[in-house]
Amino acid sequence: MARISKKQSEQPLMPTPMGLLDVDGAAAWFGVSRAKLFELMHEEGFPVIIIPKNNIRFDPNSLYRWALERQVNGRYVA
C-alpha cells in the first residue's frame, strides 16, 4: 500500500471535476501526446492509478500536485 507523505497530506485537495481521467484525458489535461504521457509515467513519483486488467487512471488532484512540484520561476534551463 502506498504511503502519503506529510507534505502531500498537508496540501488541500481541489475538487475533482468528473472523477478519474483515462490516458487520453490525462494527456489532454497536460496538453501532450499519449506518447509523451507514457514518457512522463516513467518518471519517479508520477501519479498513476492501476486498476486490475491493465486499466490506467489518473486523479486530477494528483496530476496538479505533481505539476506544481515541477513549477519553476525565473529562467527556464533545459
Side-chain angles (χ1 to χ4, degrees):
M1 179 176 253
R3 289 185 169 176
I4 297 175
S5 70
K6 185 174 181 178
K7 180 180 174 184
Q8 286 177 322
S9 65
E10 291 174 355
Q11 294 179 353
L13 294 177
M14 62 183 229
T16 302
M18 296 298 292
L20 300 176
L21 301 172
D22 61 9
V23 172
D24 290 329
W29 190 90
F30 273 113
V32 299
S33 67
R34 286 174 55 101
K36 182 62 178 177
L37 182 72
F38 282 106
E39 281 181 39
L40 292 173
M41 287 171 54
H42 288 286
E43 282 197 31
E44 186 175 326
F46 191 83
V48 178
I49 299 169
I50 305 295
I51 300 172
K53 297 188 181 177
N54 296 323
N55 290 303
I56 300 171
R57 296 292 181 267
F58 305 87
D59 174 14
N61 293 310
S62 298
L63 294 178
Y64 184 59
R65 272 195 213 112
W66 185 87
L68 285 178
E69 289 172 1
R70 282 145 186 82
Q71 180 174 318
V72 296
N73 296 314
R75 287 188 345 185
Y76 172 75
V77 180

